[in-house]
Amino acid sequence: MTHRVAFIDHVAVTVSDIDRACRFYIDLLDGAQVFEYAPEGKPLARQIQAGGVMLSVHQVGNGIHPLVADKPTVGAVDICFRWNGPIEDAQAHLARLGIEVIDGPRNNRANGGHAAKSVYFRDLDDNLFEFITID
């Protein structure tokens, strides 16, 4: 059966400092590009895009409604990124960036039921992130 919903297109993250957060995500997503979009001439968000990943980054209190979550909260996101390569490479990448691994590596289950390994870390606003790799 073909599902009409194919995949998640992007995830919106509400942050306390959009410039600082964008720098963090650009480094984290190694080689990411930033796109700013401004409907009606007002900066609404920035999109961070790398490979098949896109984050829409919103400044908390930006006053734009209804184009953001009803109660956007800094630190409320939990996102898992698929890492291409061994989990040790993901750990080394985080170490190079000075990002602390708060848990892992641990055995996990990835989309599709695949055996996987994960490491968990937080961004500058205490959002939880995970790199997961297929065993």
Side-chain angles (χ1 to χ4, degrees), residues 86-108:
I87 201 67
E88 295 80 13
D89 288 355
Q91 288 176 277
H93 176 65
L94 293 170
R96 277 191 303 277
L97 297 174
I99 299 171
E100 176 187 3
V101 172
I102 60 170
D103 191 62
R106 65 167 49 216
N107 293 328
N108 209 338

Side-chain angles (χ1 to χ4, degrees), residues 22 25-26 29 32-34 46-50 53-55 57:
C22 286
Y25 296 134
I26 289 165
L29 300 175
Q33 293 182 296
V34 179
R46 293 186 189 147
Q47 295 172 330
I48 310 292
Q49 194 163 1
V53 171
M54 186 169 81
L55 296 176
V57 183

Side-chain angles (χ1 to χ4, degrees), residues 64-78:
I64 308 289
H65 185 75
L67 301 177
V68 297
D70 186 42
K71 294 176 181 64
T73 306
V74 171
V77 176
D78 180 342

